[in-house]
Amino acid sequence: MNPISIEGQQLALRELREDDAEALHAIYGSEQATEHLSFEPRDREAVAGIVLGGIADANREPRTVYALAVTLEGNAELMGYARLAVEPHRAGQIGFALNPSAWGRSYGTETVRLLLRLGFDVLGLHRIWGARSPKNTASAAVMSRNGMVEEGRIRDHVFTHGAWRDSITHVILEGEWRRSE
Ligand SMILES: CC(C)(COP(=O)(O)OP(=O)(O)OC[C@H]1O[C@@H](n2cnc3c(N)ncnc32)[C@H](O)[C@@H]1OP(=O)(O)O)[C@@H](O)C(=O)NCCC(=O)NCCS
């Protein structure tokens, strides 16, 4: 499905464009934003590759990866990055990261809500999950606030910042989403 365009109260999700690389680098190149992610800060070239990869994914048929820009109402510039990867059995995994200058204003909560709308209402998924670092309390808060309950711990899930790290998974099922709407 392409193009995706989903509007929320303050934010919207849109397809990536080549000129989003600089704004995404402000997130993925930042120590602060990547502290709890599965990789260390990325350079401009790597981030440009992620944007091009996301654009290529958007044009695949069937499409399984939705790498999208999060924008603030009235401003088309990328303020965050939101990703949903479709898996077998109508499942999907989400990931999200916002520019640190925008943190603490409920945008993370709305970003997760928009990803759940994409997964359940647009793509008809049954189960959507996310994995976070055990120390990532902001991520725990935004997923929990959207009804994504903690499901378990994946031990040594990723090797990052020089060490193995567990992940805590959060999940929401289709019926739970419908009841929360
Ligand atoms: C996770 C993230 C998207 C949250 O975005 P946000 O816009 O700040 O989220 P919200 O404002 O909707 O809510 C944040 C919640 O976490 C809390 N929080 C924010 N930063 C925090 C921090 N550094 N430590 C502890 N709690 C924090 C806030 O208090 C708020 O909870 P509350 O409303 O119960 O007080 C943002 O921090 C981010 O982009 N982080 C880097 C990437 C990342 O970790 N992505 C998740 C990968 S699993």
Side-chain angles (χ1 to χ4, degrees):
M1 203 174 288
N2 179 5
I4 292 292
S5 173
I6 300 182
E7 292 194 9
Q9 287 188 319
Q10 310 174 88
L11 306 180
L13 299 181
R14 65 157 170 80
E15 298 291 350
L16 290 174
R17 306 183 307 225
E18 272 187 51
D19 65 1
D20 284 327
E22 196 57 34
L24 181 56
H25 183 254
I27 304 169
Y28 272 7
S30 143
E31 294 274 355
Q32 193 184 6
T34 56
E35 180 185 358
H36 299 301
L37 298 185
S38 59
F39 54 85
E40 298 192 29
R42 300 203 197 273
D43 62 22
R44 285 195 160 69
E45 202 184 340
V47 171
I50 290 170
V51 171
L52 290 180
I55 293 169
D57 285 333
N59 292 311
R60 284 207 172 87
E61 206 47 66
R63 183 175 185 181
T64 55
V65 176
Y66 295 79
L68 302 166
V70 182
T71 61
L72 195 51
E73 197 181 35
N75 182 352
E77 190 169 347
L78 181 149
M79 184 271 283
Y81 179 71
R83 187 173 187 275
L84 188 152
V86 178
E87 300 172 342
H89 305 284
R90 288 170 54 210
Q93 182 178 10
I94 60 168
F96 46 89
L98 303 180
N99 188 302
S101 66
W103 292 0
R105 289 182 231 159
S106 301
Y107 297 153
T109 302
E110 187 170 344
T111 297
V112 170
R113 185 141 200 96
L114 292 176
L115 281 168
L116 297 180
R117 270 178 57 194
L118 168 64
F120 289 124
D121 298 346
V122 180
L123 303 177
L125 298 183
H126 176 67
R127 177 183 200 279
I128 297 179
W129 69 290
R132 63 164 174 93
S133 156
K135 293 185 182 155
N136 196 345
T137 47
S139 176
V142 298
M143 288 196 280
S144 300
R145 206 170 301 127
N146 279 290
M148 299 182 75
V149 296
E150 272 192 34
E151 190 168 57
R153 176 179 287 258
I154 306 176
R155 295 183 303 151
D156 281 1
H157 187 207
V158 293
F159 188 84
T160 181
H161 297 84
W164 287 105
R165 196 211 76 198
D166 295 355
S167 288
I168 304 295
T169 62
H170 288 244
V171 68
I172 180 168
L173 303 177
E174 189 178 16
E176 294 161 350
W177 167 255
R178 299 275 164 253
R179 285 193 289 279
S180 76
E181 277 184 305

